[in-house]
Amino acid sequence: MSELSELYQEVILEHNKNPRNFREIESPDRTADGNNPLCGDALRVYVKLDGDTVTDVAFKGSGCAISKASASMMTQFVKGKSREEAEVIFDEFHRMVTGELNAEAEENHLGRLKIFAGVLEFPARVKCASLSWHTLHAALQGEGEVTTE
Amino acid sequence: MKAVKEMTSWDVEAIRKDFPVLSRTVNEKPLVYLDNSASSQVPQTVIDRTSKYLAEEHSNIHRGVHYLSQHATTAYEAAREKVKRFINAGDAKECIFVRGTTEGINLVAYSYGRKFIGEGDEIILSAMEHHSNIVPWQIVAEERGAKIRVIPMNERGELIIEEYDKLLNERTKIVAIAHVSNSLGTVNPIKEMIATAHKFGVPVLVDAAQSVPHFPVDVQDLDADFFVFSGHKIFAPTASGIVYGKREWLDAMPPYQTGGGMIRTVSFEKTTYAPIPEKFEAGTPGIAAGIGLGAAIDYLNALDFEAAAEYEHSLLEYATARLSDIPEVKIIGTAANKASVLSFTIEGIHPHDIGTILDQQGIAVRAGHHCAQPVMQFFDVPATARASFAFYNTKEEVDKLADSIQKVIEVFA
Ligand SMILES: Cc1ncc(COP(=O)(O)O)c(C=O)c1O
């Protein structure tokens, strides 16, 4: 179960059970819906902005442990960051889970989010980890809706 | 645990040796293949027959005067004969080769729909259909100005037949229903449902994708007007499938796809069509796949298919009993009459996580909406995990499934 324990680490299981910022934001500045039609994962990301700073970010929806934990940790991670910083992390995260960025060897800002590198061994689950990030990205771009397949 | 009927004397170990893939490992564990409803595995005899075609007989059918082409044509047409006997069609010409169930339903929906469905007409589907038996009809309904009516089901996943009887009327132009539900395992009483539809002069399409793998069928006894299934779910390669249609309907229907092979004469002014089955078989078909389907039917004929079905059913009962003993597991689809499909959810654990963890144990199950989103909506779940059994699965494999489900629950505890 070595690979498996790499995917379902304590941290991920814990965030799945007690997702952070799992709520709506009243009168958000940005929202977007993310859907993964293959899995039926569906979530909505809410963003509150003060100028260029993400002052609050939250999510609601249903999904697997990987998608929920990823969304939960994402909200913790980007809160207080600038839009630009959030976009940089989105890009790094995306490259990490698709194997383009070796988060252990190359410089990056992913910090705790590095545990999601484990999904690389589970091609069917990459979309689960990245759905919330694509949704946040869409919200920040003012796009409103994303689908990953 | 509930007492379960002793299994019949089915020699499963001997049968397993016929299927090479069953002896491989996955993630360093022996493969436990429980995704048979998606695609079943292929016996060596089918692999050999398909290879032989490719190695020694490959060429285009119906075209050539040369030896190979005639040989390929004979082999392909022999497969059609086998299909005819397998489902007891009246005539092999009523058996049209297609790519699979999806293409088959599209064929009937567009061809029949264009000719026989008009403004204000009604199409009856059921609440447990696969998307491939919903979407083509929706498009046809939209094009023709017709309406879709849906036979509801109860919380066990059984169709409510009284409601079906009420839906039928003089505007009904076709009924299209699954013989067996791929997401719930329910076996629908299609023989009775067909008889009721016929009282209104309404033809019935049976989506048999999930019934032909599990028990013998007889299209004449059922009196089905259309009967559609996929080769890859009955131990054949992918890209073979069958639309059986009664001759009187097929003769009256316009072609679906058009081009080579389906014509009698072509000029720029007018084209006349070949008779059935060629009318519905434009272009070069999946010849290797069709011959493989014939070989798969030979394989099934050599078995005692009734005994296989009985054995499989005992596996389903055993698996149902084992999973029912796990308090966190909820079985979705508890119809009185079921084929060996077992959909379930685990309290608080998403089916995809179940699927991934089982896969690490070498156990292949399906996790998702099974192309039946209306069913998921009805049971108010985003998805289910699904174990589906074939006659080569074993009681030990069911035990591994149940034990591994316990592990999943522990990981998430
Ligand atoms: C009930 C049912 N109908 C239709 C289909 C579609 O079959 P295919 O993908 O072979 O076209 C399936 C297979 O998933 C099925 O289970």
Side-chain angles (χ1 to χ4, degrees), chain A residues 1 8 17 37 39 65 125, chain B residues 350 352-353 356 360-361 369 413:
Chain A
M1 292 264 278
Y8 291 97
K17 232 190 233 170
C39 313
R125 309 304 302 276
Chain B
H350 194 281
H352 280 98
D353 298 316
T356 296
Q360 290 305 298
Q361 307 299 310
H369 52 59

Side-chain angles (χ1 to χ4, degrees), chain B residues 76-395:
Chain B
Y76 193 64
E77 291 307 318
R80 196 190 306 275
E81 270 301 324
K82 290 171 189 178
V83 168
K84 173 210 162 216
R85 286 197 297 276
F86 179 61
I87 59 172
N88 193 34
D91 185 345
K93 293 186 166 52
E94 296 176 310
C95 301
I96 298 159
F97 275 115
V98 288
R99 184 164 54 88
T101 308
T102 302
E103 188 176 55
I105 297 172
N106 274 272
L107 184 159
V108 178
Y110 290 112
S111 171
Y112 176 90
R114 276 191 193 133
K115 176 101 182 215
F116 293 106
I117 299 176
E119 187 81 31
D121 286 342
E122 296 181 357
I123 298 164
I124 297 183
L125 309 177
S126 93
M128 62 178 77
E129 296 312 312
H130 187 280
H131 295 165
S132 64
N133 200 25
I134 300 175
V135 186
W137 298 113
Q138 275 174 334
I139 292 175
V140 167
E142 199 169 312
E143 268 180 28
R144 314 294 302 172
K147 253 213 286 293
I148 305 275
R149 310 293 304 268
V150 182
I151 312 164
M153 61 180 164
N154 63 26
E155 67 292 345
R156 291 186 300 278
E158 296 165 318
L159 293 182
I160 304 172
I161 298 301
E162 307 82 74
E163 296 298 321
Y164 166 62
D165 294 349
K166 281 189 234 157
L167 286 174
L168 280 160
N169 64 51
E170 64 288 350
R171 291 183 303 278
T172 312
K173 284 291 150 25
I174 193 159
V175 174
I177 36 171
H179 197 173
V180 171
S181 156
N182 70 309
S183 53
L184 302 168
T186 313
V187 181
N188 289 318
I190 55 158
K191 189 172 175 182
E192 294 74 23
M193 294 176 78
I194 290 170
T196 316
H198 285 174
K199 283 192 203 139
F200 290 82
V202 175
V204 177
L205 176 141
V206 179
D207 172 354
Q210 297 295 345
S211 60
V212 285
H214 296 301
F215 48 80
V217 295
D218 180 332
V219 292
Q220 294 190 80
D221 176 58
L222 293 170
D223 205 14
D225 299 277
F226 302 101
F227 190 87
V228 188
F229 60 95
S230 301
H232 68 97
K233 296 183 199 282
I234 52 165
F235 318 103
T238 52
S240 67
I242 294 293
V243 171
Y244 158 83
K246 280 185 186 163
R247 173 183 275 281
E248 63 253 41
W249 287 117
L250 295 177
D251 279 344
M253 283 157 50
Y256 167 53
Q257 292 176 351
T258 59
M262 49 73 66
I263 51 89
R264 181 173 284 146
T265 60
V266 176
S267 71
F268 284 106
E269 289 69 43
K270 184 166 174 62
T271 294
T272 57
Y273 305 125
I276 62 165
E278 285 83 11
K279 180 167 83 174
F280 291 105
E281 294 183 344
T284 302
I287 303 170
I291 290 172
L293 174 57
I297 290 171
D298 286 342
Y299 179 81
L300 288 173
N301 287 340
L303 298 175
D304 180 348
F305 199 19
E306 301 264 6
E310 197 180 318
Y311 169 77
E312 226 184 80
H313 203 76
S314 68
L315 273 186
L316 173 72
E317 283 183 12
Y318 181 64
T320 306
R322 285 264 0 224
L323 264 59
S324 302
D325 273 354
I326 307 174
E328 293 87 347
V329 169
K330 179 166 181 232
I331 292 172
I332 307 283
T334 49
N337 192 2
K338 270 183 79 169
S340 47
V341 173
L342 194 55
S343 257
F344 61 95
T345 56
I346 304 177
E347 179 73 39
I349 308 178
H350 194 281
H352 280 98
D353 298 316
I354 303 172
T356 296
I357 297 176
L358 292 182
D359 184 52
Q360 290 305 298
Q361 307 299 310
I363 303 173
V365 298
R366 195 75 157 186
H369 52 59
H370 316 295
C371 296
Q373 287 181 3
V375 174
M376 302 299 118
Q377 288 151 17
F378 179 84
F379 287 99
D380 198 22
V381 292
T384 71
R386 179 188 73 185
S388 50
F389 307 98
F391 50 67
Y392 45 61
N393 290 123
T394 65
K395 201 164 166 258

Side-chain angles (χ1 to χ4, degrees), chain A residues 1-94:
Chain A
M1 292 264 278
S2 71
E3 270 182 1
L4 191 59
S5 45
E6 242 171 68
L7 182 60
Y8 291 97
Q9 296 187 34
E10 263 324 304
V11 186
I12 290 182
L13 292 171
E14 199 276 322
H15 273 268
N16 172 53
K17 232 190 233 170
N18 305 301
R20 317 299 196 276
N21 301 306
F22 189 63
R23 57 183 160 83
E24 288 174 28
I25 291 177
E26 254 180 66
S27 53
D29 294 300
R30 297 287 170 82
T31 64
D33 291 323
N35 280 294
N36 183 340
L38 233 53
C39 313
D41 288 354
L43 55 85
R44 172 169 287 181
V45 169
Y46 305 82
V47 181
K48 196 96 185 143
L49 292 169
D50 181 5
D52 243 7
T53 306
V54 177
T55 53
D56 196 10
V57 50
F59 78 106
K60 283 294 265 189
S62 72
C64 63
I66 306 301
S67 74
K68 225 174 188 174
S70 179
S72 169
M73 292 177 69
M74 175 189 81
T75 60
Q76 284 189 314
F77 209 78
V78 300
K79 203 182 221 175
K81 299 234 171 8
S82 73
R83 283 176 54 171
E84 201 179 325
E85 286 167 325
E87 292 285 10
V88 167
I89 297 161
F90 160 70
D91 178 64
E92 289 178 353
F93 188 89
H94 181 66

